[in-house]
Amino acid sequence: MELNSKIPAGPLAEKWTKQKFNVKLVNPANKRKYHIIVVGTGLAGASAAASLAELGYNVSTFCFQDSPRRAHSIAAQGGINAAKNYQNDGDSVFRLFYDTIKGGDYRAREANVHRLAEVSVNIIDQCVAQGVPFAREYGGYLDNRSFGGAQVSRTFYARGQTGQQLLLGAYSALNRQIGLGKVKSYTRREMLDVVVVDGKARGIIAKNLVTGEVEKYAADAVLLCTGGYGNVYYLSTNAMNSNVTAAWRAHKKGAFFGNPCYVQIHPTSIPVMGTHQSKLTLMSESLRNDGRVWVPKQKGDFRHPNEIPENERDYYLERKYPSFGNLVPRDVAARNAKMMCDEGHSVLKTGDAVYLDFRDAIKRLGEDSIKAKYGNLFDMYKLITDRDPYKEPMVLFPAVHYTMGGLWVDYNLMTTLPGLYALGEANFSDHGANRLGASALMQGLADGYFVIPFTIGDYLAGDLGLSEAGKVTTDHPAFQEAVEETKKMTDHLLSVKGKRTVDDFHRELGKIMWDYCGISRTKDGLQKAMGLMKALETEFWQNVNIPGSNENYNPELQKAWRVADFFELGKLMIQDAYHRDESCGGHFREDHQTPEGEALRNDEDFCYAAAWEYKGAGVEESLHKENLVFENVKLTQRSYK
């Protein structure tokens, strides 16, 4: 199958305007004849569902939480980018576009990124109109702060809970449509399969997590807004229920998976403190605006940080990157933290960690000012660690946070399976090999509010039309076949009756991924990881123990099918990392680095997006390439010095 990105011709700044004019439209009276399923109710899903229902479509939303507002988007802390240039510091749509392309190490589509920068200015207006309480300056104007990878202040924020406030705005819009009867909300349901009829996505199979019942739902199009797959590492900053199952089942039905090895390791997380820890807690990148990262110059110096004098501290990011300092992109900051700890400068005896120090900022601005900006983050840190960041530095280390890879989509956000779309972190499209901070919320809302409402009409009007013969119901044999496949898989899991728990397997799976496909990778390590992964997967299917039954609430069974999918995804991530014989962004191959330890790309051989096609159980996936063409930026070695 040949990949067709459907990027419109013409100048970069005119592509989105041209596309909006060229796509087919569905008139208002006809929109109510179509039914759209939205899986996931985070920022991308809630905004898409609310917008499509407002336009007149009939929408059904699905989430495995007990309420749409519990989606993991609430955990985003630091802010949302937009090229408003309120600070009058030189920002523009093109600068946001350029920073995002460069931040992604030149492995993203120019057209998608420019569209993202264009619509970013509308997102803020939309959210303010919904009542999102963005921080404001003394005169009443919206405030901005800096984030990594940029030399301008373009990040809008609501203290350290921006994601929660943005989701409440989208959730209120969604609730309005639920109240009007245009959206039907299904909670405590997990999508286990996409139903394909005549080569098109025409519905989903979902499991009712309370009753255990397997349910069938038909539609004219399906939108996956299900987030990323960082929990393949077991320990991550993601919510513990975050998983890849919906996207992976779609992949197995024909949706190509793009760049699975691109994983973001966030530089500022509370470190691992025990072998049976279940998740990690993020400390927002916004803290690097005023906090200074450092380690003791002397190896093995475990004195209390306040006892270490200034001349014995190494502010290594400021030393190595004077232009950006502590606000280098996340992949650069994370690699450098690991490098300093590998060299023996960890600040903890029990494991790797560095300091993030607010002493100088408190002296300069006052404690009240710092509390106004970051108070809830400081409180959260103290509750978890019993350390007071107002009196001593935070102790932090990188952790898995975001996945730039995802289902491959074209410019219209459609996957290679017609009728199936992927929005937000579920797709691969906008961030290349590394995401700049505060751009996840921007992409999720851009896709939901300002992209999919235009592009989905092109498919509905063109491929489906309004013919009654084109309508599909859950009586179609494809739905029953999908139900039987789902029941067969879950029954198989329950029948094993082994001796190891699901969490035990997941923890070991995650350690393999972290050790060999984490912050840095090597050719030999990836080969070893593949062997370990295959052996552990075989044992999983022979020795996992899942209590309970398939006909009622069974959280262990839920975890089991997710871990089964993580095994398959993990193998593809390793395969993708092995084939990409270069370093770029979050994919750092130790055999490809500059003398200074920076990622060394190979643009001649790897300037493309890797899109993997599922070929069947036990069969190696097939690679397809979407060549990346750069007409508006010059491919150069990234430098933040």
Side-chain angles (χ1 to χ4, degrees):
M1 176 181 178
E2 183 177 348
L3 293 173
N4 181 4
S5 60
K6 297 183 180 178
I7 298 172
L12 182 67
E14 298 175 11
K15 289 182 184 294
W16 179 228
T17 300
K18 181 177 181 180
Q19 184 76 345
K20 287 189 290 184
F21 178 76
N22 287 337
V23 294
K24 298 181 181 68
L25 299 178
V26 179
N27 82 55
N30 285 337
K31 285 187 174 75
R32 60 176 174 268
K33 299 178 182 179
Y34 291 109
H35 179 210
I36 300 169
I37 283 175
V38 179
V39 185
T41 56
L43 286 180
S47 60
S51 300
L52 293 171
E54 184 75 35
L55 288 172
Y57 294 107
N58 298 293
V59 179
S60 295
T61 62
F62 294 80
C63 66
F64 56 66
Q65 298 92 348
D66 59 357
S67 166
R69 70 176 292 254
R70 292 190 184 275
H72 185 59
S73 296
I74 66 167
Q77 299 169 342
I80 176 172
N81 288 330
K84 285 286 197 180
N85 194 30
Y86 282 173
Q87 303 296 316
N88 198 29
D89 56 0
D91 201 11
S92 65
V93 167
F94 191 85
R95 188 175 293 277
L96 174 54
F97 155 76
Y98 175 78
D99 286 345
T100 306
I101 287 285
K102 178 183 175 182
D105 215 352
Y106 304 94
R107 289 294 179 263
R109 278 192 201 131
E110 279 193 341
N112 284 69
V113 176
H114 196 276
R115 175 176 65 188
L116 178 65
E118 284 181 67
V119 304
S120 71
V121 298
N122 299 325
I123 294 171
I124 304 304
D125 298 337
Q126 172 90 4
C127 295
V128 169
Q130 291 174 337
V132 173
F134 287 121
R136 294 180 180 268
E137 295 178 330
Y138 66 93
Y141 293 102
L142 297 182
D143 196 13
N144 293 117
R145 58 188 177 199
S146 300
F147 257 65
Q151 291 181 306
V152 297
S153 295
R154 62 164 68 101
T155 305
F156 296 78
Y157 65 98
R159 296 187 74 185
Q161 50 183 252
T162 313
Q164 180 176 353
Q165 298 302 328
L166 290 172
L167 185 60
L168 287 172
Y171 176 63
S172 66
L174 175 60
N175 260 354
R176 177 175 179 272
Q177 297 303 321
I178 293 173
L180 292 172
K182 295 300 295 180
V183 173
K184 174 66 175 175
S185 175
Y186 295 90
T187 61
R188 303 298 288 155
R189 264 85 168 179
E190 183 153 8
M191 175 188 145
L192 293 185
D193 210 351
V194 58
V195 179
V196 180
V197 178
D198 296 329
K200 298 180 176 66
R202 300 306 302 268
I204 66 169
I205 302 300
K207 191 171 181 67
N208 186 317
L209 299 180
V210 176
T211 67
E213 184 180 356
V214 177
E215 301 170 344
K216 302 175 288 186
Y217 300 93
D220 296 303
V222 177
L223 276 55
L224 295 188
C225 311
T226 51
Y229 48 88
N231 276 351
V232 69
Y233 291 86
Y234 185 68
L235 288 178
S236 81
T237 65
N238 292 179
M240 290 179 64
N241 276 334
S242 297
N243 64 84
V244 77
T245 289
W248 190 254
R249 303 296 171 85
H251 173 54
K252 295 173 80 168
K253 284 295 181 72
F256 290 5
F257 212 103
N259 300 331
C261 77
Y262 289 166
V263 177
Q264 180 167 90
I265 315 292
H266 198 292
T268 52
S269 168
I270 296 177
V272 177
M273 293 298 184
T275 56
H276 285 78
Q277 193 167 339
S278 58
K279 79 174 300 292
L280 297 171
T281 302
L282 176 71
M283 288 287 105
S284 170
E285 180 179 314
S286 63
L287 295 171
R288 289 197 277 145
N289 270 282
D290 291 302
R292 301 179 71 191
V293 180
W294 65 275
V295 294
K297 290 182 179 178
Q298 181 181 335
K299 296 179 181 180
D301 186 349
F302 299 116
R303 287 178 290 171
H304 190 281
N306 293 346
E307 297 176 0
I308 301 176
E310 186 72 12
N311 63 349
E312 295 182 28
R313 301 180 176 196
D314 182 5
Y315 297 92
Y316 57 89
L317 291 179
E318 298 172 35
R319 169 173 56 84
K320 296 179 68 173
Y321 308 98
S323 294
F324 283 75
N326 294 295
L327 287 174
V328 293
R330 292 174 176 176
D331 61 318
V332 176
R335 272 199 306 276
N336 276 274
K338 180 179 185 296
M339 189 184 307
M340 298 308 295
C341 292
D342 288 347
E343 293 175 1
H345 296 279
S346 175
V347 303
L348 291 181
K349 292 181 181 179
T350 55
D352 293 335
V354 301
Y355 289 130
L356 183 63
D357 198 338
F358 293 86
R359 182 190 64 178
D360 294 343
I362 290 173
K363 286 181 181 178
R364 185 177 71 253
L365 302 172
E367 186 172 314
D368 288 344
S369 177
I370 296 299
K371 189 174 293 185
K373 291 182 179 179
Y374 314 114
N376 61 314
L377 296 171
F378 277 41
D379 292 343
M380 182 168 63
Y381 179 85
K382 185 177 181 181
L383 283 170
I384 294 171
T385 67
D386 199 29
R387 298 170 183 258
D388 187 348
Y390 293 104
K391 297 179 180 178
E392 62 181 277
M394 288 183 175
V395 177
L396 303 171
F397 194 69
V400 173
H401 178 59
Y402 187 91
T403 51
M404 285 74 66
L407 294 180
W408 185 94
V409 294
D410 62 21
Y411 191 69
N412 292 332
L413 304 184
M414 189 188 286
T415 69
T416 50
L417 177 58
L420 180 72
Y421 293 79
L423 281 65
E425 192 180 356
N427 74 38
F428 89 112
S429 66
D430 288 8
H431 306 297
N434 173 64
R435 177 177 66 80
L436 293 184
S439 288
L441 305 184
M442 177 174 61
Q443 186 207 353
L445 292 180
D447 287 353
Y449 282 138
F450 298 109
V451 178
I452 198 66
F454 288 98
T455 61
I456 198 168
D458 193 52
Y459 169 72
L460 295 175
D463 284 44
L464 292 181
L466 293 169
S467 169
E468 288 300 318
K471 292 295 179 183
V472 170
T473 70
T474 55
D475 294 330
H476 193 283
F479 282 86
Q480 190 57 39
E481 290 173 12
V483 168
E484 295 303 320
E485 288 178 17
T486 297
K487 288 183 176 180
K488 182 178 179 181
M489 183 270 295
T490 51
D491 288 343
H492 186 186
L493 284 167
L494 287 163
S495 70
V496 177
K497 302 299 182 185
K499 297 181 178 180
R500 293 181 63 181
T501 65
V502 177
D503 283 341
D504 195 25
F505 278 106
H506 194 180
R507 190 180 295 111
E508 187 173 344
L509 185 167
K511 191 173 189 313
I512 294 170
M513 294 298 297
W514 177 257
D515 288 347
Y516 301 107
C517 199
I519 294 180
S520 61
R521 298 99 187 255
T522 67
K523 183 177 181 179
D524 291 342
L526 291 166
Q527 287 179 315
K528 181 178 180 180
M530 184 64 83
L532 293 171
M533 187 69 76
K534 289 179 177 179
L536 187 64
E537 182 184 27
T538 299
E539 184 186 355
F540 172 81
W541 286 102
Q542 296 173 348
N543 198 29
V544 70
N545 182 275
I546 305 167
S549 72
N550 200 6
E551 282 73 41
N552 51 28
Y553 177 66
N554 191 341
E556 289 301 305
L557 178 59
Q558 297 168 34
K559 290 191 288 187
W561 70 58
R562 294 167 185 170
V563 171
D565 292 332
F566 279 142
F567 272 115
E568 295 183 348
L569 167 69
K571 290 186 295 183
L572 182 60
M573 291 171 67
I574 293 167
Q575 182 181 352
D576 188 42
Y578 184 83
H579 114 272
R580 188 166 285 278
D581 198 15
E582 66 163 353
S583 289
C584 56
H587 169 63
F588 188 75
R589 287 278 295 263
E590 293 180 13
D591 42 341
H592 297 288
Q593 56 182 300
T594 67
E596 297 80 21
E598 305 297 339
L600 184 61
R601 297 194 319 272
N602 177 354
D603 293 331
E604 183 175 348
D605 298 321
F606 291 97
C607 193
Y608 59 78
W612 295 91
E613 179 184 6
Y614 182 78
K615 305 297 286 186
V619 180
E620 189 170 288
E621 300 215 3
S622 177
L623 173 64
H624 300 257
K625 301 177 182 179
E626 180 198 346
N627 292 322
L628 299 173
V629 179
F630 294 92
E631 300 175 340
N632 299 272
V633 297
K634 183 180 180 182
L635 287 168
T636 60
Q637 174 65 36
R638 269 199 316 173
S639 175
Y640 293 94
K641 294 187 182 297

